[in-house]
Amino acid sequence: MSKAKRRGRIFIDYLRNGRGNTAIACYSLRARPNAPVATPLQWDELGARTPSDRYHIGNVRRRLQALKEDPWQGFIESRGTITAQMRKAVGLC
């Protein structure tokens, strides 16, 4: 789970899907300097150096007004199941 050990890879925290586990809701403020906002992004908005505090209480409204489409559009339709093959690929079988 440490960032140093996953350099160049994406960490998928599948344990967040368990009953009773929690995660921050979209558009929630984070308890950090400048009040960053948990903001859904499109894949094309991400870069190798996209900072986690890019959107904060001072600029998130401007970002939302500038969007051409809802970042959540198609979210429900993209629902899928983790297959045995996927679990095996990440070493969970």
Side-chain angles (χ1 to χ4, degrees):
M1 288 173 46
S2 78
K3 288 183 181 181
K5 290 184 179 177
R6 57 184 158 110
R7 183 173 216 91
R9 299 182 345 196
I10 296 173
F11 176 69
I12 300 172
D13 189 356
Y14 68 94
L15 297 173
R16 288 284 171 211
N17 293 326
R19 185 175 181 88
N21 290 337
T22 60
I24 191 168
C26 292
Y27 304 110
S28 295
L29 296 175
R30 295 185 176 272
R32 296 192 181 135
N34 299 318
V37 177
T39 307
L41 301 172
Q42 301 265 353
W43 283 111
D44 62 358
E45 293 180 87
L46 294 174
R49 296 182 183 218
T50 303
S52 61
D53 61 353
R54 178 177 182 180
Y55 297 108
H56 50 78
I57 197 163
N59 69 5
V60 73
R61 182 181 300 233
R62 189 172 352 127
R63 181 210 187 246
L64 292 173
Q65 291 171 339
L67 289 176
K68 293 186 171 108
E69 61 183 38
D70 179 1
W72 286 98
Q73 186 176 355
F75 174 75
I76 298 299
E77 293 81 15
S78 68
R79 181 179 176 177
T81 302
I82 297 175
T83 65
Q85 183 179 5
M86 291 174 182
R87 292 176 62 83
K88 185 175 181 182
V90 295
L92 296 175
C93 289

